[in-house]
Amino acid sequence: MRPLSVIALTLTLTSCAGSVLAQSPPDPTARIAQQKAAMKALAWMDGVWRGPAVTTGPGGRKIEVIQTERSGPLLDGAVHVVEGRSYRADGSTGFNALGIISYDPDKAAYSMRSYAMGQVGDFPMTLTPTGAVWTIPAGPATIRYTITAQDGVWHEVGERVVEGQPPMAFFEMTLKRVGDSPWPAAGAITPN
């Protein structure tokens, strides 16, 4: 390479690096405001919930548990956190899951990051006038959970949906709101 070409290349790279360094990251204020506004639609979930749940397994075997949910905002209301836990008749934990619901302003869409039974995934969530629907792809099927919330009752049905066939319900819970909860925002570490 000729000396002038090296100098020209060096000046070009230095100029590009300078302009990149001069740019500051975008201000997150507007984006966070959009996320907080979207999360307000899930305020009905806040608190502690309890009630019966039934899962129908292979051969029609029914498993009955007491299902609990605790739910609330985190990150100053920009996301929503939900923990579901079921209890068997003997008081032992039968199921435990964690969901983080978020809103993407760029896509104008909600999603749930779910951790359950050793699995993790991101799943689309759609709000309805009476609750929400979230889905999980499962091979040729889709697992669809439909939540209806009204008058302090959280009713949720899980169905296996295969195109061209009627949905097959395999899960149902009916929970009543039993109170407020400082979770998950409580217990934040203070500066002192």
Side-chain angles (χ1 to χ4, degrees):
M1 197 177 259
R2 296 188 336 201
L4 285 177
S5 297
V6 172
I7 292 171
L9 179 61
T10 302
L11 288 173
T12 301
L13 291 174
T14 303
S15 173
C16 289
S19 67
V20 168
L21 291 175
Q23 294 177 6
S24 61
D27 182 1
T29 305
R31 185 175 186 80
I32 292 170
Q34 289 176 307
Q35 292 168 331
K36 289 171 144 182
M39 288 296 112
K40 287 181 182 178
L42 297 173
W44 67 266
M45 295 176 103
D46 292 353
V48 179
W49 302 77
R50 183 183 301 119
V54 178
T55 300
T56 304
R61 191 181 115 217
K62 296 200 182 288
I63 301 167
E64 296 182 19
V65 296
I66 295 298
Q67 181 71 29
T68 63
E69 302 281 340
R70 62 180 176 162
S71 179
L74 201 57
L75 299 180
D76 197 28
V79 298
H80 209 89
V81 182
V82 184
E83 182 199 24
R85 182 185 301 252
S86 71
Y87 294 95
R88 298 180 186 107
D90 66 3
S92 63
T93 300
F95 175 79
N96 198 199
L98 176 71
I100 302 169
I101 303 169
S102 61
Y103 180 78
D104 183 342
D106 296 334
K107 296 177 183 175
Y110 293 85
S111 66
M112 182 186 310
R113 179 132 178 110
S114 173
Y115 301 85
M117 302 188 317
Q119 302 295 317
V120 61
D122 291 303
F123 308 111
M125 180 180 225
T126 305
L127 300 190
T128 68
T130 58
V133 175
W134 60 284
T135 57
I136 302 170
T142 298
I143 304 301
R144 178 178 64 201
Y145 290 94
T146 303
I147 302 168
T148 305
Q150 190 171 13
D151 300 326
V153 175
W154 175 337
H155 182 251
E156 187 168 341
V157 175
E159 299 171 299
R160 183 176 184 271
V161 180
V162 176
E163 192 173 330
Q165 298 178 19
M168 290 184 55
F170 66 88
F171 174 79
E172 183 173 10
M173 71 179 191
T174 303
L175 312 181
K176 290 187 178 176
R177 189 174 189 283
V178 295
D180 293 333
S181 174
W183 185 88
I189 299 170
T190 62
N192 299 325

